[in-house]
Amino acid sequence: MAVRQGALVARCPYVSKVQAVVGGRWKIELLYYIGIKGVRRFGAIKRCVGGISDSTLSKQLRELERDGLISRHDFGEVPPRVEYRLTPRGEGFVPVLEALREWGEREFAEDRPL
Amino acid sequence: MAVRQGALVARCPYVSKVQAVVGGRWKIELLYYIGIKGVRRFGAIKRCVGGISDSTLSKQLRELERDGLISRHDFGEVPPRVEYRLTPRGEGFVPVLEALREWGEREFAEDRPL
């Protein structure tokens, strides 16, 4: 149902929060590999995503941790061992990740014509 | 099931394509207002999203059109009337948008503690 174009549509606080939390150039992929593929370590995550610098990956992981989607566990070992996992909030995002992947597979499987 | 951390997890072509097509700072919100709230016009979309410049909004809409999620219809009128709508590919993304919004509402409704 098209909105009468003059009518003011209020900004949805949840959609703008979701945009802020999972938006950007990398976070959907990072959540996919950490959450669905069980990739835990910094180096392994970096290899999966490809083309991301160490500093950008660190920043993205810190933001995901700050926003409560992943947790960082330092085992206090030498050499250092640190793992990233989904939090309960992050686990709640897994169905969305699966829906995103399924849509992607449907739409871009053979680069179907529009 | 955690992946043996040395094991190479192949990059999923679909997830990286989805990340490229709907990633960034604005596109989830733009698709939400165009697709779910039926907001069609440039000015109305801009008012919904808030804080986006004309040039950025134009670029984002061009990219969504290039990637086949929205279509731009110019009515050839004076003054000009242009509307944006979801394509079939974009319509296929609506269930994902709804899942994103529901997750956002669950997780950020009262800024629930983590």
Side-chain angles (χ1 to χ4, degrees):
Chain A
M1 183 273 310
V3 173
R4 194 178 54 69
Q5 283 313 307
L8 257 188
V9 174
R11 187 171 193 185
C12 174
Y14 309 127
V15 172
S16 55
K17 182 77 173 178
V18 168
Q19 175 70 75
V21 164
V22 302
R25 227 187 109 197
W26 304 100
K27 288 181 181 162
I28 288 171
E29 281 196 277
L30 295 178
L31 290 167
Y32 175 78
Y33 290 109
I34 295 168
I36 293 185
K37 293 294 187 184
V39 182
R40 303 260 182 274
R41 306 282 286 277
F42 187 93
I45 296 166
K46 186 175 178 190
R47 279 191 298 276
C48 286
V49 176
I52 188 169
S53 70
D54 283 4
S55 56
T56 300
L57 179 52
S58 298
K59 182 171 178 286
Q60 299 288 303
L61 292 172
R62 270 198 312 275
E63 287 176 6
L64 286 171
E65 193 183 355
R66 175 202 65 197
D67 292 331
L69 278 92
I70 63 173
S71 63
R72 180 181 185 275
H73 184 67
D74 185 335
F75 290 82
E77 295 174 0
V78 179
R81 181 159 69 103
V82 173
E83 290 194 357
Y84 297 91
R85 292 170 185 269
L86 293 186
T87 60
R89 170 173 284 178
E91 289 293 347
F93 193 72
V94 165
V96 181
L97 285 170
E98 284 162 346
L100 281 162
R101 195 195 59 74
E102 282 157 24
W103 176 75
E105 190 163 2
R106 250 192 342 267
E107 290 301 326
F108 304 108
E110 314 86 17
D111 264 326
R112 292 173 359 137
L114 300 192
Chain B
M1 185 271 314
V3 172
R4 194 178 55 71
Q5 282 313 305
L8 255 188
V9 174
R11 188 171 193 186
C12 173
Y14 308 127
V15 172
S16 55
K17 181 77 173 179
V18 168
Q19 175 70 73
V21 163
V22 302
R25 226 186 110 198
W26 304 101
K27 288 181 181 163
I28 288 171
E29 281 197 276
L30 295 179
L31 290 167
Y32 176 77
Y33 289 110
I34 295 168
I36 293 186
K37 292 294 185 184
V39 182
R40 305 260 183 272
R41 307 282 287 277
F42 187 95
I45 296 167
K46 185 177 176 183
R47 279 192 298 276
C48 285
V49 177
I52 188 169
S53 70
D54 283 4
S55 57
T56 300
L57 179 53
S58 298
K59 181 172 179 285
Q60 299 288 304
L61 291 171
R62 272 198 312 273
E63 288 177 5
L64 286 171
E65 193 182 356
R66 174 203 65 198
D67 292 330
L69 277 93
I70 63 173
S71 62
R72 179 180 186 277
H73 183 69
D74 185 336
F75 289 82
E77 294 174 359
V78 178
R81 182 158 70 102
V82 172
E83 290 194 357
Y84 296 92
R85 292 168 186 268
L86 293 185
T87 60
R89 170 174 285 176
E91 287 294 347
F93 194 72
V94 165
V96 181
L97 284 171
E98 284 163 348
L100 280 162
R101 195 195 59 76
E102 282 157 25
W103 177 75
E105 190 164 0
R106 254 193 337 268
E107 291 301 327
F108 303 109
E110 312 86 18
D111 264 326
R112 288 173 1 138
L114 302 188

